[in-house]
Amino acid sequence: FYSLEHAMDQQIERAIQNNDHATLSSIFATISSPDKSWQSLSEGEKRTLAAHYVKTALSPQLRDSYLPSALQSSSGPSVIKKALGHLPPSVDDALDNALRHELFQHLVDKREYRDAAVILSQMRMEEYDQTSVYFMTPSERCDVYVKIAECYLMENETVEADSAVTRAGNVVESISDPDKHLGLILRYRSTYARVLDANRKFLQAAGRYYDLSVVGAQTDIIDENDLLIMLGKATTCAILAPSGAQRQRILALIYKDANLSKLETISQFSTHASVLTKMYKNQILLHDDDLLKFEKSLEEHQRALMSDGLNIFQRALIEHNMVAISDIYASIKFMELGRLLNLTPERAESVAAKMIVDGSLVNGSIDQVDGLLYFQDGVSATDAWDHAITGFCVQLNGITDIVKHVDR
């Protein structure tokens, strides 16, 4: 076995020196002649042979000539993957990680983002032992996780992206010199916002995008146009977020931003400022040109159908208009409500009931007998009673003071 392994070592060296990718492919082939192939070796011998391949491929004398040729060949990436999958616990100078980086970048350049993420997720990263060849600082580990998340997002694989960005979040707080690594930290925040957006957590995503547009403006790292895109994405997510007090707060932040009107200069966000302004002012939104352009600008996940048959934008629009109507009417028939919301009376009642239950229509109550939706003022009955008692006591104290003054 030693002579066979030694012979294969020499064969690998010659093949790498000559950029003979066909020979390397035959050596690492899963199926070939059992007496002279990879398959004839034990697992330990495979690991030794794979490590020899990695060290030879990345040797100073051969790296610059072999790697570009191997990555561009039809069989080279497969050979690299096979070797990286059969390594011993450690390789000198962590050369296997260096090879993973090279293969990762090659796959990204070819837009094979999922394969690139898988390769990088196999990085050996030591967190505690600083003497290990695989020791990586928090910033280095964070960079790896962010790159993995970015690749999965390119493939719309949100579960995997969420897992990777969560790991990045666990590391980012340990970065010892945040100012030095501000670019990386902003990349993490951007990726986290994109993951929240992709997972339809629009309220949280809006807050993250808006924070980025503000924090990024305080540095020269992010281009001005990219900052506007962040603000545009914050606006999109705020409009799509469920109705409620938290959304109203983020709408207010964006509405008061001095750069909101500049979104008109970007075709993707040309009507966002108009739509958000109407939402912030609690105006009823009609299906005009601004709204149609906004809807066309949405990404696929932002138009997903919900369990009730409405898509995300339709749901957000109906919920907003329901709240806007509550500011105008004291009560309204479901027939009329359905007409205003472009829904059947039954669907309008169902939406109103759901909003009352989840707290986004706090002042609503339904009279099913008469088919009416009532809107009280924004104060609950208990709060109204408390305010009345407080007012009575204040007035009573005032009268008592006057009486005492007269008696004197």
Side-chain angles (χ1 to χ4, degrees), residues 149-169:
E150 288 171 337
C151 285
Y152 278 127
L153 279 174
M154 295 299 293
E155 298 287 354
N156 294 319
E157 297 191 16
T158 57
V159 174
E160 292 81 358
D162 195 350
S163 175
V165 83
T166 298
R167 292 188 175 190

Side-chain angles (χ1 to χ4, degrees), residues 259-271:
N259 293 315
L260 180 62
S261 60
K262 295 180 182 179
L263 291 180
E264 297 175 0
T265 64
I266 303 177
S267 59
Q268 181 185 354
F269 305 114
S270 60
T271 64

Side-chain angles (χ1 to χ4, degrees), residues 109-332:
D109 292 342
K110 291 184 65 179
R111 300 186 178 183
E112 296 178 13
Y113 297 110
R114 190 184 187 285
D115 287 347
V118 170
I119 288 296
L120 206 59
S121 66
Q122 296 167 356
M123 287 282 289
R124 295 173 171 180
M125 296 186 285
E126 171 57 44
E127 180 178 355
Y128 302 107
D129 183 5
Q130 297 188 24
T131 64
S132 170
V133 293
Y134 295 111
F135 174 77
M136 296 178 72
T137 64
S139 61
E140 291 170 334
R141 283 181 282 128
C142 182
D143 181 59
V144 169
Y145 291 133
V146 169
K147 285 177 178 175
I148 293 170
E150 288 171 337
C151 285
Y152 278 127
L153 279 174
M154 295 299 293
E155 298 287 354
N156 294 319
E157 297 191 16
T158 57
V159 174
E160 292 81 358
D162 195 350
S163 175
V165 83
T166 298
R167 292 188 175 190
N170 293 334
V171 175
V172 73
E173 297 299 330
S174 302
I175 295 177
S176 57
D177 190 355
D179 291 339
K180 181 180 177 182
H181 300 285
L182 184 57
L184 171 61
I185 293 171
L186 291 176
R187 271 182 54 225
Y188 157 71
R189 291 182 178 178
S190 172
T191 304
Y192 185 36
R194 290 171 60 198
V195 168
L196 290 170
D197 185 354
N199 284 326
R200 306 174 199 169
K201 296 179 180 179
F202 297 117
L203 185 62
Q204 298 96 312
R208 294 285 178 169
Y209 280 134
Y210 183 71
D211 287 346
L212 268 170
S213 73
V214 174
V215 174
Q218 300 168 4
T219 75
D220 57 0
I221 295 176
I222 303 179
D223 180 76
E224 184 179 352
N225 191 64
D226 290 336
L227 289 173
L228 279 179
I229 290 174
M230 290 295 175
L231 182 61
K233 289 185 175 183
T235 305
T236 300
C237 291
I239 291 171
L240 296 179
S243 181
Q246 287 183 306
R247 188 188 74 152
Q248 194 62 24
R249 281 193 287 272
I250 190 67
L251 287 175
L253 283 173
I254 298 173
Y255 172 75
K256 295 172 184 176
D257 193 290
N259 293 315
L260 180 62
S261 60
K262 295 180 182 179
L263 291 180
E264 297 175 0
T265 64
I266 303 177
S267 59
Q268 181 185 354
F269 305 114
S270 60
T271 64
H272 281 49
S274 171
V275 175
L276 182 132
T277 298
K278 292 174 184 176
M279 276 198 162
Y280 171 69
K281 293 181 177 180
N282 257 4
Q283 298 175 2
I284 296 176
L285 289 172
L286 303 175
H287 283 276
D288 56 13
D289 288 343
D290 284 353
L291 211 59
L292 290 174
K293 287 179 181 177
F294 173 83
E295 188 172 9
K296 287 180 180 179
S297 74
L298 296 177
E299 298 179 29
E300 186 176 348
H301 71 276
Q302 295 167 338
R303 307 181 191 195
L305 281 177
M306 311 296 284
S307 58
D308 58 4
L310 298 172
N311 66 36
I312 290 171
F313 174 66
Q314 290 170 333
R315 167 79 68 79
L317 182 63
I318 289 168
E319 289 189 355
H320 164 77
N321 282 340
M322 184 79 77
V323 174
I325 288 168
S326 74
D327 285 348
I328 302 172
Y329 291 81
S331 64
I332 187 171

